[in-house]
Amino acid sequence: MSELERIAIEKAKEAVKLDRQGSREAAIARYKEAIQILSRLISLTQSPVLHEVYRERMRQYLDRLNELSDETPAKTVVRQAASREEPRMDPVESNVKWSDVIGLEDAKRVIREAIVYPWMRPDLFPLGWPTGILLFGPPGCGKTLLVAATASEVNATLYTLDAATVLSKWLGESEKNIAALFSKARQDVSKGKPVIIFIDEADSLTAQRYLEVGGEARARNQLLKEMDGLANKNKREYLYVIAATNKPWLLDEAFIRRFQKRIYVGPPDRETRLNILRHYTAHLRLAEDVDLEALAEMTGNYSPADLYNICLDAHLTTIREMFENKLEEPRKISMRDFIAAIEKRKPSISEEMVMRLLEWARKHEAV
Ligand SMILES: Nc1ncnc2c1ncn2[C@@H]1O[C@H](COP(=O)(O)OP(=O)(O)OP(=O)(O)O)[C@@H](O)[C@H]1O
Ligand SMILES: [Mg+2]
């Protein structure tokens, strides 16, 4: 087993190296070999953590393989030229409002206390404030949305560091780029504006230590070092690192410890689902028979993102009909349209997933 793992790493390392040198054919062959071995490992492993790490890895190699396979020689040249440049680190503008985030009252409270209040009244925080916040929870429940709302609330500059992309695109350069990003962020902060560095899919950045290939351990250590710099107690700075993940069990202790606040962003209860349905149907024309309470009741494992899509689907049905039947205006959306939309869509959340997250929360939550 560990022998297989060693071979997989060997093949992947060669692939990455060849890839960076531009030897496309050879890199493709090595990626394929690495993928084959990983799929063997996946079928052999008993550990759920390793299982996910292997799968995540395999997905990355498959993505890269697909990219390489439809890459022409001209494209290769362009890519190599581009990869020599500094990474582009443009801040993202956010105009999400606090009121767009429905439910999640605990998460909002913790964030207000950590970020909004210290920004408004730093004099009330002589001991400083938390600068590392980890958000974990099932997909589509508002982690990214919360970060966007926070950023616009304090008018912060928001840099997003998507861990999976960082590792696959910057192949081995990631630690340099992380250092550069933090140094840019510190410059911004010194000009008097809060900065949030948002690490999305944080699990792919830290979990990779199992299968180190392109310098992930170095990237991870760089990140830990930067975060230690932030946590310096006497410095009261408006530079925050917020990380999000829906697989927190892939994170390692050293990483987890850097986040003073660890918040569970859980699935909506019935009441919250009702509010979300109200929110997303507020500007739609609904027929008399639409019963949002009943819809909230029947959407047990659906995430807010699912609910949004259900409203969208139901609405689009009426628009489609309007065009197909050459009507002047779309008809009102009926209960039937919502139910059809629900039946077409599987819920993104499962009991099993929630159990596992709650179990992790019991050990690691810090609010
Ligand atoms: N609490 C919420 N209130 C209102 N809308 C929400 C909420 N949570 C999610 N949504 C809707 O679902 C979309 C996706 O949510 P978001 O990207 O924040 O999920 P996430 O928790 O970051 O998921 P993932 O783990 O997949 O990244 C949002 O853009 C928004 O439209
Ligand atoms: Mg997200």
Side-chain angles (χ1 to χ4, degrees), residues 140 142-145 198 200-201 244 246:
K143 296 184 291 297
T144 303
L145 195 65
F198 177 41
D200 212 354
E201 294 191 55
N246 44 42

Side-chain angles (χ1 to χ4, degrees), residues 162-192:
D162 179 335
T165 320
V166 168
L167 292 184
S168 60
K169 290 248 168 73
W170 295 348
L171 294 170
E173 309 265 299
S174 12
E175 101 243 39
K176 264 196 348 226
N177 293 327
I178 287 173
L181 176 62
F182 272 83
S183 119
K184 187 150 186 276
R186 259 183 238 108
Q187 277 173 23
D188 291 352
V189 171
S190 66
K191 289 180 203 139

Side-chain angles (χ1 to χ4, degrees), residues 253-269:
E253 289 299 329
F255 188 75
I256 296 167
R257 246 186 300 116
R258 294 325 196 262
F259 296 89
Q260 301 97 326
K261 298 285 177 189
R262 302 183 282 268
I263 313 169
Y264 181 46
V265 178
D269 59 11

Side-chain angles (χ1 to χ4, degrees), residues 100-102 104 138-145 200 246 276 280 304-305 308:
D100 293 329
V101 187
I102 303 184
L104 304 179
C141 290
K143 296 184 291 297
T144 303
L145 195 65
D200 212 354
N246 44 42
I276 289 170
Y280 286 121
Y308 167 78

